DNA sequence: TCAGAATGATTTTTT
DNA sequence: ATCATTCTGA
């Protein structure tokens, strides 16, 4: 077999060719002179510092993407490298797409030839496919997504006779993910790390899982990088080729890299050559330590903090000029983030007008919060503002619900960003499983998924039989099925059903090369009865699911054939659905990174929710700092208006709890913040929590901060049971500790009058005259 | 084998 | 409260 490196077009010798891509790019740029125009001095420096390692610390809104794309254009324009010599990695497909788009705008068609611009995973997959045999895989290995992974783990756990109740597959998936994120192959896992799961069996389970992946000819997301690392270490020749190939490396969002990604980059950036000019890699990492918000999934802020040590002689360039937000917003964000220790330190500044102050508004409860924000947005709309310039950024997705409810009643169009991904939906995954089963007889996970979808009467017993046969004969499930229908092993009914199914698959497979893949997709979905299954389902979302299936088939059009479609789908299948309608954005703070809006609403700034209790409990100070960075990200999304909210009462898991305003509110600079009232005149006397609003600047002696401290030091209980606070005392009025008894008449601020039905510690079940039966906290009702 | 009942968990999310 | 998953009985 030919050496995959040599046999590939991307690895042509790097000699410049007249009329080649680089030359064309250069010509296009020369005529389109001045791609540096409009950049400030630091940005230009970042673009032009091509030799040796460079770290660009790019604060929010400082033109980070612009620098990256211009830098690529500059490398091409100066003829330093051809598009195929540049490695350019991002985290998300969206970012990669954006970058590709912007570079091609700058350079013309030339970037069509940038084969190494992509996500860590897509590039890892590309490299792994070239050297699959070095990882005991075939080059057409399947990429398992989380869903497949979990199902596979369940099988492994079952085989190892491990109680899934006590040791959930999800937990093991997370543990293994953690290892892979840290670049640990089974043999590297420290013994101690194994202890936390299934009585120390974790490590051997990891071994079993990896072995199973190999037999399935599959890799999970973590493997895409981990196997790269193994190959690079095992085969210095292979590594050396890539090191030579990637003359220039660019990394986006460097603060989000995990250990595996870091090691991957470091290996590729190593320059073992003796020649001085080649000793330092031309690697340019762009990031912002203040926007590192993915520590919980393995990102190592340390990577960026350590950059200068890792790459001696690295040039560090700070982009501090913010082009997005007005003065007050920027000041508030900067002041807030300054409370973090362990940062590289940047001072964002703007030449923009001061603009509107950041506002903080207290609401009685989360419903009032939603009502107020809804009303305000209606105002914006009435004033002629576009809804798509408004975003609501929440800490946790459960907060979205109330906003959705409110928007539906108001008739305000909104769109949720993030949420369940298109390809994660059951109907899409089912359809894909069908396609995978057609294309690959050996894709057991796919076959198993749809063998009884729609219901065919093939239950666990039958599937188990197939599995047993597969194990005994070392065959795939489909092959086993084929063998078993020739025997008497199966009862007549399932036997006939399986035979029909196998016949169908044979028929579809025969059509693979004869009809278009989109046609085949429709045929498969129809003849399998899958479409009919949803048509017969009367539930509300059935129509939407059918619509999704159509969308899926439509999205296949852009691919050569079914296999080509499937190969890409695991890595790059996100829907940027055409959303033309002018609508309010609703998303989590995490999903908002990298976006910007004129007006940003930030509800739920309460202790326990934001900062989230769990981040505090599990990560301590670093957890708090990450939450603060999240707050910083939220604020810096806003161009003109940032509106913060907190609610005194919030329902958590169906129960009303009192809350304490977030310590982050106390950390805002008073001079840049206005405290306002909830605008949705729900007649609650405002005085009650006026006093609860201690905006005395960013000192650490404010009541709110002390409360927060007291809480942090005290009980580990989450949300509930705050020590008596000023506003809570004010709110409680007359109950003053007296225990309520069943049958008493009570009054609740929110639900009105009612009768106590049950007492359970500090929780009451009250039958309210108007609102019906509710569980409430005792301190929130008064004796009527 | 399947539907309905009980059980349990519930931050953030990409690939 | 709500949702998803697992269990149990027909």
């Amino acid at each position: 077999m030919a050496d995959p490196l040599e046999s590939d077009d991307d690895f042509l010798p790097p000699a410049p060719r007249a009329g080649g891509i680089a030359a064309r790019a250069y010509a296009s740029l020369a005529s389109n002179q001045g791609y540096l125009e409009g950049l400030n001095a630091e940005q230009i420096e970042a673009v032009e510092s091509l030799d040796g390692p460079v770290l660009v610390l790019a604060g929010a809104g400082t033109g980070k993407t612009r620098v990256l794309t211009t830098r690529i254009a500059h490398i091409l324009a100066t003829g330093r490298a051809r598009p195929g010599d540049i490695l350019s990695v991002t985290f998300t497909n969206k970012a990669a797409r954006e970058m590709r788009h912007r570079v091609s705008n700058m350079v013309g068609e030339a970037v069509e030839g940038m084969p190494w611009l992509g996500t860590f995973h897509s590039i890892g997959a590309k490299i792994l496919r070239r050297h699959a045999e070095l990882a005991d895989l075939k080059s057409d290995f399947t990429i398992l997504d989380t869903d497949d992974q979990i199902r596979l783990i369940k099988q492994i756990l079952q085989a190892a006779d491990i109680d899934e109740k006590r040791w959930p597959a999800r937990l093991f998936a997370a543990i293994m993910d953690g290892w892979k994120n840290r670049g640990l192959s089974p043999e590297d896992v420290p013994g101690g790390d194994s202890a936390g799961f299934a009585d120390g069996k974790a490590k051997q389970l990891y071994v079993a899982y990896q072995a199973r992946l190999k037999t399935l000819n599959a890799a999970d997301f973590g493997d895409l990088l981990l196997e790269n690392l193994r190959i690079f270490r095992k085969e210095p020749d292979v590594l050396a080729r890539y090191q030579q190939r990637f003359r220039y490396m660019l990394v986006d969002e460097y603060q989000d890299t995990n250990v595996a990604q870091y090691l991957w980059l470091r290996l590729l950036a190593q320059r073992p050559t003796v020649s001085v000019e080649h000793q330092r890699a031309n690697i340019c990492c762009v990031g912002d330590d203040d926007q590192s918000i993915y520590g919980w999934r393995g990102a190592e802020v340390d990577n960026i903090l350590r950059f200068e040590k890792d790459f001696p002689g690295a040039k560090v360039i700070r982009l501090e000029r913010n082009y997005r937000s007005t003065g007050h917003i920027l000041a508030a964000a900067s002041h807030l983030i300054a409370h973090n220790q362990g940062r590289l330190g940047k001072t964002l500044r703007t030449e923009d007008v001061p603009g509107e102050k950041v506002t903080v508004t207290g609401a009685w409860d989360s419903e009032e919060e939603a009502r107020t924000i809804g009303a305000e947005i209606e105002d914006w709309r009435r004033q002629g503002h576009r809804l798509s310039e408004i975003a609501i950024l929440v800490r946790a997705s459960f907060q979205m619900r109330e906003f959705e409810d409110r928007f539906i009643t108001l008739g305000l169009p909104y769109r949720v960003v993030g949420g369940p991904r298109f390809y994660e939906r059951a109907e899409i995954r089912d359809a894909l499983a069908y396609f995978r089963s057609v294309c690959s007889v050996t894709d057991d996970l796919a076959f198993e998924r749809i063998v009884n979808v729609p219901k065919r009467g093939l239950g666990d017993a039958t599937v188990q039989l197939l599995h047993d046969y597969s194990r005994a004969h070392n065959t795939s499930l489909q092959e086993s099925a084929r063998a078993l229908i020739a025997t008497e092993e199966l009862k007549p009914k399932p036997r006939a059903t399986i035979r029909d199914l196998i016949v169908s698959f044979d028929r579809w497979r025969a059509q693979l090369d004869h009809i278009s893949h989109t046609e085949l997709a429709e045929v498969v979905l129809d003849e399998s009865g899958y479409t009919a299954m949803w048509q017969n389902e009367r539930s509300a979302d059935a129509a939407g699911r059918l619509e999704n299936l159509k969308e899926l088939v439509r999205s296949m059009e852009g691919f050569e054939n079914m296999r080509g479609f499937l190969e890409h789908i695991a890595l790059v299948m996100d829907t940027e659905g055409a959303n033309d309608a002018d609508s309010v954005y609703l998303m989590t703070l995490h999903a908002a990174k990298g976006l910007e809006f004129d007006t940003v609403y930030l509800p739920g700034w309460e202790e326990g929710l934001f900062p989230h209790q769990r981040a505090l409990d599990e990560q301590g100070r670093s957890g708090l700092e990450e939450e603060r960075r999240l707050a910083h990200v939220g604020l810096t999304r806003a161009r003109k208006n940032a509106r913060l909210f907190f609610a005194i009462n919030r329902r958590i898991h169906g129960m009303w709890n009192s809350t304490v305003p977030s310590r982050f509110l106390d950390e805002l600079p008073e001079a840049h913040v206005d405290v306002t009232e909830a605008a949705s005149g729900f007649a609650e006397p405002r005085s009650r929590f006026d006093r609860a609003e201690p905006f005395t600047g960013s000192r650490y002696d404010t009541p709110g901060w002390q409360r927060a401290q007291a809480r942090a030091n005290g009980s580990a209980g989450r949300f509930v049971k705050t020590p008596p606070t000023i506003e809570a005392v004010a709110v409680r009025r007359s109950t003053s500790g007296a225990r309520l008894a069943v049958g008493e008449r009570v009054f609740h601020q929110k639900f009105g009058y009612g009768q106590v039905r049950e007492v359970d510690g500090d929780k009451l079940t009250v039958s309210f005259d108007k609102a019906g039966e509710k569980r409430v906290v005792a301190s929130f009702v008064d004796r009527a």
Side-chain angles (χ1 to χ4, degrees):
Chain A
M1 186 184 141
D3 184 321
L5 287 182
E6 297 301 344
S7 64
D8 193 283
D9 286 345
D10 299 329
F11 279 88
L12 289 172
R17 288 178 296 138
I21 290 172
R24 286 213 314 274
Y26 186 80
S28 134
L29 279 162
S31 62
N32 178 22
Q33 49 176 293
Y35 53 91
L36 291 177
E37 224 168 79
L39 296 185
N40 63 38
E42 307 89 76
Q43 290 173 327
I44 288 178
E45 192 187 4
V47 167
E48 291 186 332
S49 302
L50 294 184
D51 298 309
V54 177
L55 174 64
V56 180
L57 286 173
T62 54
K64 173 197 72 168
T65 310
R66 181 145 185 225
V67 163
L68 269 176
T69 51
T70 312
R71 188 179 161 97
I72 292 175
H74 187 61
I75 292 169
L76 295 173
T78 51
R80 290 222 182 195
R82 302 182 314 142
D85 304 330
I86 302 173
L87 173 72
S88 180
V89 276
T90 63
F91 276 84
T92 63
N93 290 307
K94 196 171 148 204
R97 219 180 306 128
E98 162 93 4
M99 203 185 294
R100 190 178 288 277
H101 179 73
R102 284 170 73 163
V103 172
S104 68
N105 274 353
M106 235 177 275
V107 168
E109 304 306 302
V111 278
E112 293 305 323
M114 281 200 65
W116 301 106
L117 189 162
T119 63
F120 276 102
H121 289 88
S122 69
I123 291 171
K126 186 166 183 170
I127 291 177
L128 185 54
R129 285 203 195 279
R130 288 160 183 263
H131 312 285
E133 73 288 352
L134 296 175
D136 287 326
L137 292 168
K138 284 180 266 165
S139 69
D140 65 342
F141 64 83
T142 5
I143 296 169
L144 300 190
D145 60 25
T146 323
D147 213 77
D148 292 326
Q149 197 190 10
I150 296 287
R151 287 188 299 138
L152 187 55
I153 291 172
K154 279 186 181 159
Q155 292 175 11
I156 301 278
L157 293 184
Q158 252 158 28
D161 208 19
I162 282 162
D163 182 6
E164 281 183 74
K165 270 287 164 42
R166 243 184 98 195
W167 306 109
R170 297 208 155 275
L171 176 62
F172 184 62
I175 291 172
M176 216 161 42
D177 222 42
W179 287 333
K180 291 187 174 184
N181 282 161
R182 285 190 282 151
L184 300 176
S185 293
E187 61 271 20
D188 309 321
V189 173
D193 271 32
S194 209
F197 190 86
D199 309 314
K201 296 206 191 78
K203 191 167 173 168
Q204 70 197 65
L205 289 169
Y206 184 12
V207 174
Y209 171 82
Q210 289 302 116
R212 188 88 183 93
L213 284 182
K214 303 298 180 200
T215 51
L216 285 169
N217 189 31
D220 62 22
F221 284 123
D223 286 342
L224 296 181
L225 279 171
L226 192 59
E227 295 289 6
N228 271 228
L229 292 180
R230 290 167 64 101
I231 291 171
F232 288 163
R233 285 171 176 156
K234 202 167 56 180
E235 308 283 338
D237 291 356
V238 175
L239 174 60
R241 302 262 182 85
Y242 286 100
Q243 287 170 338
Q244 283 153 25
R245 160 70 24 175
F246 299 140
R247 312 255 301 276
Y248 291 91
M249 297 166 64
L250 294 92
V251 186
D252 192 15
E253 306 279 17
Y254 189 61
Q255 78 283 352
D256 286 338
T257 49
N258 60 36
V259 173
Q261 287 154 343
Y262 162 77
L263 292 172
W264 188 82
L265 287 169
R266 204 179 60 177
L267 280 168
L268 287 171
Q270 269 170 9
R271 289 297 114 100
T273 348
V274 272
S275 146
V276 174
E277 74 175 295
H278 287 113
Q279 269 182 356
R280 294 154 77 230
N282 302 320
I283 183 170
C284 173
C285 296
V286 180
D288 180 2
D289 48 322
D290 292 336
Q291 291 189 64
S292 160
I293 55 174
Y294 285 110
W296 51 273
R297 70 174 194 212
E300 289 277 331
V301 207
D302 282 0
N303 288 347
I304 196 168
L305 301 178
R306 239 189 14 239
F307 189 86
E308 290 176 83
K309 283 196 201 109
D310 290 332
F311 298 96
K315 186 182 235 179
V316 177
I317 298 166
R318 285 181 160 74
L319 303 183
E320 299 179 304
R321 230 177 292 180
N322 175 289
Y323 296 99
R324 182 185 295 155
S325 312
T326 51
H328 285 309
I329 293 172
L330 206 57
S334 301
H335 203 278
L336 175 72
I337 199 63
H339 288 77
N340 270 5
Q341 299 162 23
R343 46 194 294 263
L344 291 169
K346 282 186 298 337
T347 315
L348 290 177
R349 52 176 192 277
T350 177
E351 282 150 31
D352 203 345
V353 296
E356 302 290 321
K357 286 189 180 180
V358 173
T359 66
V360 175
T361 309
W364 168 248
D365 61 18
S366 48
E367 281 171 26
E368 188 187 63
E369 184 182 63
R371 255 198 320 274
T372 307
I373 292 177
E376 283 196 27
I377 292 177
E378 285 196 307
D379 274 350
W380 289 115
R381 172 144 87 160
R382 235 170 276 130
Q383 292 164 32
H385 290 96
R386 288 180 32 169
L387 293 179
S388 57
E389 281 310 333
I390 301 173
I392 299 172
L393 310 182
V394 297
R395 172 66 244 265
S397 40
F398 75 83
Q399 292 173 262
M400 291 189 193
R401 218 208 145 104
E402 267 164 321
F403 289 101
E404 293 197 58
D405 287 352
R406 192 66 200 146
F407 290 166
I408 288 166
T409 32
L410 290 177
L412 263 178
Y414 69 93
R415 71 185 103 174
V416 174
V417 177
R421 308 243 159 308
F422 185 67
Y423 59 85
E424 275 169 13
R425 292 172 202 198
E427 67 276 17
I428 299 302
R429 299 193 39 82
D430 289 340
L432 290 174
Y434 268 105
F435 303 157
R436 276 162 62 185
S437 298
V438 170
C439 286
S440 166
V441 206
T442 53
D443 197 331
D444 285 359
L445 285 164
F447 184 73
E448 197 180 344
R449 183 185 175 96
I450 47 81
V451 70
N452 198 30
V453 182
K455 296 257 154 49
R456 304 190 165 89
L458 299 174
D460 291 346
T462 314
V463 173
Q464 194 52 52
L465 200 65
L466 291 182
H467 266 300
D468 291 346
Y469 187 94
S470 287
R471 194 153 313 156
H473 298 81
N474 197 23
T475 58
S476 71
L477 290 178
Q478 280 195 61
E479 288 160 340
S480 302
R482 191 182 302 277
L484 280 169
I485 49 181
T487 71
E488 299 286 321
E489 297 286 337
L490 291 158
K491 293 195 189 108
K493 226 166 152 188
R495 185 177 161 189
T497 314
I498 289 191
R499 197 189 51 231
D500 288 351
L501 191 63
I502 290 293
V503 166
S504 295
F505 271 113
D506 285 341
R507 190 176 58 247
W508 297 326
R509 209 166 288 129
Q511 287 170 299
L512 253 179
D513 299 317
H514 294 97
I515 59 177
S516 80
H517 60 293
T518 49
E519 246 175 292
L520 179 57
E522 277 166 1
V523 168
V524 170
L525 293 179
D526 281 345
E527 294 184 359
S528 63
Y530 191 73
T531 320
M533 178 181 100
W534 289 115
Q535 280 163 347
N536 297 334
E537 166 126 5
R538 275 189 302 279
S539 69
D541 53 348
R545 292 178 191 271
L546 286 166
E547 197 46 51
N548 289 339
L549 288 172
K550 273 192 205 142
E551 172 70 31
L552 178 72
V553 174
R554 223 172 301 141
S555 73
M556 296 171 74
E557 282 166 11
F559 293 86
E560 284 272 302
N561 53 39
M562 185 77 85
R563 280 199 185 83
F565 172 70
L566 288 176
E567 272 206 22
H568 277 101
I569 199 131
L571 286 173
V572 281
M573 179 72 193
D574 46 357
T575 42
E576 282 292 306
N579 239 326
D580 326 311
D582 185 40
S583 48
V584 177
Y585 282 92
L586 184 52
M587 65 186 102
T588 63
L589 284 159
H590 285 88
K593 192 164 83 152
L595 305 176
E596 55 181 89
F597 305 90
D598 282 346
T599 300
V600 168
Y601 285 92
L602 298 162
W605 284 46
E606 297 131 32
E607 284 294 306
L609 177 59
F610 193 31
H612 201 281
Q613 191 60 47
R614 207 143 137 186
L616 265 32
D617 290 347
E618 287 169 13
Q619 301 293 323
R621 202 202 76 186
S622 77
L624 172 64
E625 297 212 337
E626 182 153 313
E627 294 288 300
R628 194 179 279 117
R629 290 194 291 267
L630 202 48
H632 174 254
V633 166
L635 280 169
T636 51
R637 297 312 95 193
R639 284 193 283 252
K640 297 176 185 159
N641 301 286
R643 321 250 305 115
L644 317 187
F645 286 75
F646 66 91
I648 300 267
N649 294 291
R650 189 170 291 277
R651 191 163 39 183
I652 306 293
H653 310 325
M655 254 194 38
W656 287 95
N657 290 111
S658 74
T659 58
V660 177
S662 172
R663 73 190 75 185
F664 296 152
L665 292 172
D666 290 343
E667 294 173 1
L668 296 169
E670 197 174 17
H672 302 283
V673 174
D674 269 341
V675 178
T676 71
E677 294 192 353
S680 83
F682 190 66
E684 284 305 330
R686 209 57 55 194
S687 59
R688 187 174 293 123
F689 45 86
D690 267 358
R691 256 188 308 156
E693 252 318 282
F695 290 109
T696 36
S698 62
R699 284 175 289 123
Y700 283 87
D701 55 2
T702 57
W705 195 84
Q706 282 165 4
R707 273 195 313 276
Q709 282 303 98
R711 263 186 57 62
N713 300 334
S715 76
R718 24 138 86 189
F719 290 152
V720 274
K721 282 288 93 199
T722 57
T725 60
I726 293 168
E727 68 272 30
V729 171
V731 162
R732 264 180 226 167
R733 293 193 285 192
S734 58
T735 312
S736 55
R739 300 289 296 217
L740 288 154
V742 171
E744 289 197 75
R745 291 288 291 172
V746 293
F747 175 79
H748 186 276
Q749 284 295 339
K750 182 171 172 51
F751 298 121
Y753 290 91
Q755 189 171 32
V756 178
R757 287 268 174 254
E758 212 181 312
V759 181
D760 172 20
D762 61 336
K763 291 154 203 155
L764 305 174
T765 306
V766 180
S767 170
F768 290 102
D769 301 349
K770 295 251 169 65
E773 203 163 275
K774 301 277 180 199
R775 292 256 289 170
V776 296
V777 180
S779 56
F780 276 82
V781 298
D782 293 330
R783 250 188 213 93

